């Protein structure tokens, strides 16, 4: 794990390190708030040789194995794409075979992986603190994979705990949800998140925090990827001029344009923008046109799994945005 310094995770970590009786938990929280980091820390705490309140000791052999993704009693079920993208999964990524460049990494937790996990759960624990199966994000299981897990979720082998992480429990099968005790991770308040981003070296953190919809880890990732507050502030007018889309991976363009569309609608209706700084969003002439643009963006978003032909897509998205944002 790379991140043990997310201060807002200390309280939930302390609270859930000694969980109530049970064997299956659903952690409801956003990755951009640190839900994955919390889940990894909890798994480490549950397997720690020096079981202690407050969190893992961080120094025992078991903690070392957890931190290096080598603990034989800790199994992570995550899609290839998440392994490839998520900074907190760097140690896990290192143990996987390098993906061949030809195939797009899967965004699903496959039924084969679930079956393998079930087999794993039946083997006896290697160390003395039981076993932990971590699913991130749990909603990456389709119905077949979910159904394969049901029986294990209801009645796992002795000593096995399951921790399912999702930012949207409604996307899980109801039968899956009902078998878990639910925890809700509240993200940090704006002041805590802003102070944390500042300590991470992010300039004008409040601008990027709003840009990321209040999710501090997302804001930090964007900053690390080269997006700064000035570029974000300039983005709406850059789009209106047809001068290009933000310096982010193409799959994030649609999400950014949806934020711009949201704010343009807010401004057109006389309300303050939510994602962009006040004054940066031009006043569009037609709410009807903005509404049609929103529909078009949602249609593209629904196909986000398709291959991205970046130049064509850029042109199309820009043309749509320019038409919708036409100003007085
Ligand atoms: Zn330990």
């Amino acid at each position: 794990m790379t991140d043990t310094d997310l201060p807002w995770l200390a309280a939930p970590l302390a609270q859930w390190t000694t969980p109530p009786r049970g064997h299956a938990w659903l952690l409801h929280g956003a990755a951009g708030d640190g839900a994955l980091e919390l889940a990894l820390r909890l798994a480490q705490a549950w397997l720690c040789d020096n079981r202690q309140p407050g969190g893992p000791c961080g120094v025992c052999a078991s903690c070392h194995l957890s931190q290096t993704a080598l603990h034989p009693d800790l199994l992570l079920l995550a899609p290839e794409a998440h392994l490839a993208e998520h900074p907190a999964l760097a140690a896990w990524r290192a143990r996987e075979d390098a993906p061949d460049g030809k195939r797009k990494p899967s965004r699903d937790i496959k039924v084969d992986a679930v079956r393998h996990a079930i087999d794993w759960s039946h083997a006896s624990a290697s160390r003395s603190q039981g076993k932990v199966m971590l699913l991130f994000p749990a909603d990456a299981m389709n119905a077949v994979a979910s159904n394969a897990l049901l029986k294990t979720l209801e009645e796992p082998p002795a000593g096995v705990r399951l921790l399912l992480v999702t930012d949207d429990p409604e996307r899980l099968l109801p039968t899956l949800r009902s078998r878990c005790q639910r925890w809700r991770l509240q993200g940090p308040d704006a002041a805590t998140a802003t102070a944390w981003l500042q300590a991470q070296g992010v300039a004008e953190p409040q601008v990027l925090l709003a840009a990321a919809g209040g999710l501090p880890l997302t804001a930090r990732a964007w900053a690390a990827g080269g997006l700064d507050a000035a570029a974000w502030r300039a983005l709406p007018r850059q789009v209106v001029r047809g001068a290009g889309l933000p310096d982010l991976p193409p799959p994030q363009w649609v999400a950014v344009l949806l934020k711009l569309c949201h704010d343009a609608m807010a401004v057109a209706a006389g309300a303050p923008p939510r994602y962009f700084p006040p004054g940066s969003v031009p006043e569009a002439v037609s709410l009807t046109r903005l509404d049609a643009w929103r529909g078009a963006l949602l249609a593209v978003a629904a196909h986000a799994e398709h291959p991205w032909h970046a130049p064509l897509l850029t042109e199309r998205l820009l043309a749509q945005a320019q038409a919708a944002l036409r100003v007085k």
Side-chain angles (χ1 to χ4, degrees), residues 44 47-50 56-64:
Q44 182 184 340
L47 294 171
C48 174
D49 293 334
N50 301 313
C57 78
V59 295
C60 71
S62 211
C63 279
H64 182 69

